[in-house]
Amino acid sequence: AWAQPAGGRSCEELTVAVAPPRLLGRRFNFFIQQKCGFRKAPRKVEPRRSDTGTSGEAYKRSALIPPVEETVFYPSPYPIRTLVKPLFFTVGFTGCAFGSAAIWQYESLKSRVQSYFDGIKADWLDSIRPQKEGDIRKEINKWWNNLSDGQRTVTGIIAANVFVFCLWRVPSLQRTMIRYFTSNPASKVLCSPMLLSTFSHFSLFHMAANMYVLWSFSSSIVNILGQEQFMAVYLSAGVISNFVSYVCKVATGRYGPSLGASGAIMTVLAAVCTKIPEGRLAIIFLPMFTFTAGNALKAIIAMDTAGMILGWKFFDHAAHLGGALFGIWYITYGHELIWKNREPLVKIWHEMRTNSPKKGGSK
């Protein structure tokens, strides 16, 4: 954009000042008049589309991240302050997750006695009821009953990930998905994406790989922790790994969106490998090569540490590392500090459940 100069000398005055008229040819005089007759207008300052310019290009090179070149982010002038809300959200959500899991386990144990007798009655009715050939519902029930407890538990998680993946395919929802289902400390929405991005995948390969690993380790982790404790650990791991990613991005200034269940799945993998270090693992495409779970965990931690330090952008290595360290810590110390001290909360809930019918009857 060009505009007339607001003040100063005119074109004729500038021409005379540069050289005497007799020394200026027609072409040279025309050149000076063109140059002094217009000035470049000041450039309009727009919000940065990423943190540094280079990070946006780096994130665009990853096929796992949605295209965000048209999305405007607003890095805070005081980056440390952006971590205050995510910190409180991480602590509060983790506490609520484990508290809800403890109450869930209490209610499950309480209802199993009644469901046991109901199950005996249902089995007796099925034995005298004529069986239908080719019943689809029967086949589904048979498949469901053949699954392990861990596989049944993660089936809902996998279904949620598939549903969110389908939402990414709707063009009208792109901005909403980027806003709420990708975690970025430079975004205006900081807390809810820390949880929602755990169920979000833009790439089919990314989702398939994560869900395969989760399905493979589901039986082991649920046998170790139980269904209720596993859900608390998994959901908390997603938020904690995203908070570690926030800290790393703010510390390095490399802002950019992240999404996927990799951080939470790294917690599951690290917990199993820490609990069963001598277990044998293999790569899906190379089943002939096996290695111990302990060595696999060391290799993963080393790779993610190097990727975080060197600034590799294809994966969110900080989230991977945060998830793995949380899994190791929880199996080593967290189970004793958190889950085994849930009894006071369960007692409070038991008293509330016991006294609530009496209060209702007195009224």
Side-chain angles (χ1 to χ4, degrees):
W2 298 86
Q4 291 290 344
R9 296 181 176 181
S10 64
C11 294
E12 293 78 9
E13 293 176 349
L14 182 59
T15 303
V16 174
V18 172
R22 63 177 180 274
L23 298 180
L24 296 174
R26 182 174 300 176
R27 291 184 179 180
F28 189 61
N29 188 21
F30 175 77
F31 170 76
I32 294 178
Q33 289 180 4
Q34 290 294 328
K35 190 167 185 177
C36 73
F38 299 92
R39 65 177 178 84
K40 198 167 184 178
R43 298 178 63 180
K44 184 179 180 181
V45 179
E46 297 180 355
R48 291 181 292 179
R49 298 188 181 275
S50 62
D51 60 319
T52 58
T54 57
S55 65
E57 297 174 359
Y59 272 95
K60 285 168 59 179
R61 288 196 295 268
S62 175
L64 308 181
I65 302 298
V68 295
E69 60 271 14
E70 296 182 358
T71 304
V72 179
F73 298 105
Y74 298 87
S76 172
Y78 306 99
I80 300 298
R81 296 182 182 179
T82 61
L83 298 176
V84 176
K85 288 184 178 180
L87 175 61
F88 282 103
F89 177 78
T90 301
V91 175
F93 180 84
T94 301
C96 292
F98 280 96
S100 301
I103 296 173
W104 178 19
Q105 186 185 60
Y106 166 80
E107 293 293 338
S108 298
L109 293 174
K110 187 178 179 180
S111 63
R112 282 178 185 176
V113 177
Q114 182 64 34
S115 63
Y116 173 76
F117 295 103
D118 294 340
I120 294 177
K121 182 179 179 180
D123 293 339
W124 180 75
L125 291 176
D126 290 338
S127 62
I128 63 176
R129 183 182 303 164
Q131 301 294 326
K132 297 181 180 180
E133 297 293 337
D135 190 0
I136 299 178
R137 183 177 180 181
K138 176 183 175 182
E139 295 298 326
I140 295 176
N141 291 335
K142 182 179 178 181
W143 169 81
W144 179 260
N145 293 329
N146 290 332
L147 295 178
S148 65
D149 292 339
Q151 291 172 339
R152 295 177 193 172
T153 303
V154 302
T155 299
I157 298 176
I158 295 175
N161 280 269
V162 173
F163 176 73
V164 175
F165 174 79
C166 294
L167 294 180
W168 275 109
R169 311 272 78 82
V170 181
S172 60
L173 296 178
Q174 290 292 305
R175 287 190 174 273
T176 302
M177 299 300 293
I178 292 174
R179 185 180 182 89
Y180 293 101
F181 287 86
T182 61
S183 60
N184 188 356
S187 177
K188 287 186 175 181
V189 183
L190 294 175
C191 296
S192 58
M194 297 174 69
L195 175 63
L196 297 178
S197 63
T198 307
F199 300 90
S200 177
H201 296 84
F202 182 78
S203 167
L204 178 61
F205 173 78
H206 189 199
M207 183 187 68
N210 281 342
M211 296 302 101
Y212 175 79
V213 175
L214 179 61
W215 181 268
S216 301
F217 285 87
S218 60
S219 299
S220 300
I221 190 63
V222 172
N223 288 335
I224 294 172
L225 300 178
Q227 183 182 18
E228 299 85 4
Q229 188 179 185
F230 160 72
M231 288 301 300
V233 170
Y234 183 85
L235 295 177
S236 300
V239 175
I240 291 172
S241 61
N242 274 313
F243 178 74
V244 175
S245 175
Y246 276 14
V247 173
C248 181
K249 289 175 182 178
V250 170
T252 59
R254 301 167 184 165
Y255 295 92
S258 300
L259 74 168
S262 302
I265 293 174
M266 282 297 300
T267 298
V268 174
L269 190 150
V272 174
C273 292
T274 303
K275 190 69 174 180
I276 316 173
E278 299 302 325
R280 306 298 297 183
L281 302 179
I283 303 175
I284 180 175
F285 300 110
L286 301 172
M288 68 289 300
F289 298 103
T290 61
F291 40 84
T292 63
N295 291 334
L297 181 59
K298 294 176 184 177
I300 291 173
I301 291 178
M303 183 187 69
D304 286 324
T305 302
M308 184 181 64
I309 295 174
L310 299 177
W312 297 346
K313 296 293 184 179
F314 194 76
F315 296 109
D316 192 342
H317 295 280
H320 289 190
L321 185 61
L325 295 179
F326 175 68
I328 296 172
W329 175 84
Y330 188 82
I331 289 296
T332 307
Y333 306 104
H335 178 75
E336 298 286 338
L337 294 175
I338 299 177
W339 191 250
K340 289 194 173 181
N341 293 322
R342 69 189 186 281
E343 185 176 356
L345 177 63
V346 175
K347 285 184 177 181
I348 295 174
W349 177 258
H350 174 73
E351 293 176 358
M352 292 174 59
R353 288 296 305 272
T354 304
N355 297 330
S356 58
K358 295 180 180 180
K359 292 182 179 179
S362 61
K363 291 180 181 180

